[in-house]
Amino acid sequence: MRVLLTGHQGYLGTVMAPVLAAAGHEVVGLDAGLFADCVLGPTPADPPGHRVDLRDITADHVAGFDAVIHLAALSNDPLGSLAPELTYDINHHASVRLARLARDAGVRRFLYASTCSVYGAAGDPDLSNLVGEDAPLRPVTPYAESKVRVEDDLHALADGDFTPVFMRNATAFGHSPRLRADIVLNNLVGHALLSGEVLVLSDGTPWRPLVHAADIARAFTAALSAPREAVHDRAFNIGSEINNVTVAEIAEQVAEAVSGAKVRITGENGADPRSYRVDFSRFRAAIPGFDCEWTVKQGALELADAYREHGLTQEDFERRFTRLAVLRAASDAGAVDDTLRWRG
Ligand SMILES: NC(=O)c1ccc[n+]([C@@H]2O[C@H](COP(=O)([O-])OP(=O)(O)OC[C@H]3O[C@@H](n4cnc5c(N)ncnc54)[C@H](O)[C@@H]3O)[C@@H](O)[C@H]2O)c1
């Protein structure tokens, strides 16, 4: 297939592009390049792509593709809360516009990167039940709310020729040539290497479903070529029950992966309403033979090796690999305007 991959220069997109290419697809990227320099190790070889803001795309950008994989977004809660209106402009309105342009151009499949954060505080009080795709959506942040709104609007676009698929990813972890250290496991591993401490600021009790970036890439690749009736207009949780873990458990796994590191749970950030254990069986049923390959422990070991190999510094950890810090620095330097568009 000819595939337009938005967000191809992000943490997940940089892992996904070569997986798609290896499956025989022709990939074209589209990204504003906000985090293109957030590289750990050698600069990755990106597929050909457009450097364009999602809000400025035209029909020409989507013409001639069989499918769109839409990853580009302000991609976490701190970014979303920094400027909620921008989050809705980019994550919601521009995403729906992209989908409409794609549908009008005859693109048949549209894989949307949603998130398990849409469940928010949806778990049972005792968390005894796993949260499935039909659970009520109770987003607790603008980021998660923007994802719910896109799902609603894309659902209305589904028809006999246009197949949106809602990929509700668990929180990602693991190595990518363009790294993020502001997601829980990657953060704990980096901090442990730099300080010898696995530092948990919550009380450690919230449940977090995790999934390796490479498993997300494999899941999207599988959904791309799955029979239409298996995926048409459906939501799928992407991850694995074995990686439904509490933050305290993640910390223990990290301490085992980084020798000498000690867990310290301060609890200073108090309770976190985002706590849920997720049921991932629907995607396995839709895509026979698919399962995630990576455990939390394997990901922690892999990432610790990558950080060591490429020499993680405190500066990189706090600035280069933290999305909010990168955007603040670009804004302070006058490189982007207050709508996060490049100047000049
Ligand atoms: N990483 C996770 O844990 C996770 C979990 C669930 C869902 N997701 C979703 O997966 C997608 C990719 O996440 P990621 O971790 O790779 O994030 P990322 O921040 O690393 O990458 C996002 C990419 O989108 C681009 N982008 C942002 N705003 C843009 C705009 N206005 N125009 C064009 N490009 C723009 C950025 O330049 C960046 O390359 C996002 O939609 C995110 O919400 C991620």
Side-chain angles (χ1 to χ4, degrees), residues 20-239:
L20 292 167
H25 302 297
E26 182 188 340
V27 181
V28 175
L30 188 152
D31 199 307
L34 294 170
F35 309 112
D37 296 332
C38 302
V39 169
L40 180 73
T43 302
D46 294 327
H50 305 283
R51 177 157 288 202
V52 62
D53 194 289
L54 195 59
R55 292 163 289 184
D56 302 330
I57 56 163
T58 65
D60 287 346
H61 290 112
V62 292
F65 289 98
D66 301 299
V68 172
I69 296 180
H70 181 36
L71 306 181
L74 295 181
S75 59
N76 66 8
D77 291 330
L79 290 183
S81 304
L82 173 73
E85 284 319 309
L86 268 186
T87 299
Y88 292 123
D89 281 352
I90 296 171
N91 290 13
H92 178 211
H93 301 300
S95 294
V96 175
R97 190 166 158 272
L98 170 72
R100 280 185 204 285
L101 286 171
R103 190 181 70 155
D104 293 349
V107 172
R108 298 186 67 82
R109 194 161 294 195
F110 191 97
L111 305 187
Y112 176 58
S114 187
T115 168
C116 288
S117 296
V118 294
Y119 301 119
D124 277 0
D126 64 0
L127 291 164
S128 55
N129 292 331
L130 298 184
V131 178
E133 288 84 351
D134 297 329
L137 306 185
R138 298 196 182 112
V140 294
T141 61
Y143 165 72
E145 174 65 33
S146 74
K147 297 281 175 179
V148 173
R149 292 185 190 181
V150 176
E151 287 199 16
D152 283 348
D153 290 351
L154 264 58
H155 179 61
L157 296 180
D159 64 17
D161 296 319
F162 185 71
T163 291
V165 186
F166 311 107
M167 306 288 277
R168 293 182 184 160
N169 303 294
T171 298
F173 66 87
H175 177 252
S176 162
R178 284 201 182 83
L179 203 73
R180 287 181 62 177
D182 54 6
I183 35 185
V184 58
L185 182 114
N186 297 4
N187 184 274
L188 293 179
V189 173
H191 196 272
L193 278 170
L194 290 166
S195 72
E197 251 186 6
V198 187
L199 182 64
V200 176
L201 301 179
S202 74
D203 63 5
T205 59
W207 287 90
R208 279 284 179 285
L210 298 188
V211 60
H212 195 287
D215 282 329
I216 293 179
R218 290 173 51 249
F220 275 70
T221 305
L224 197 61
S225 48
R228 177 183 176 278
E229 59 278 10
V231 296
H232 178 72
D233 197 21
R234 297 183 79 191
F236 295 103
N237 296 328
I238 302 300

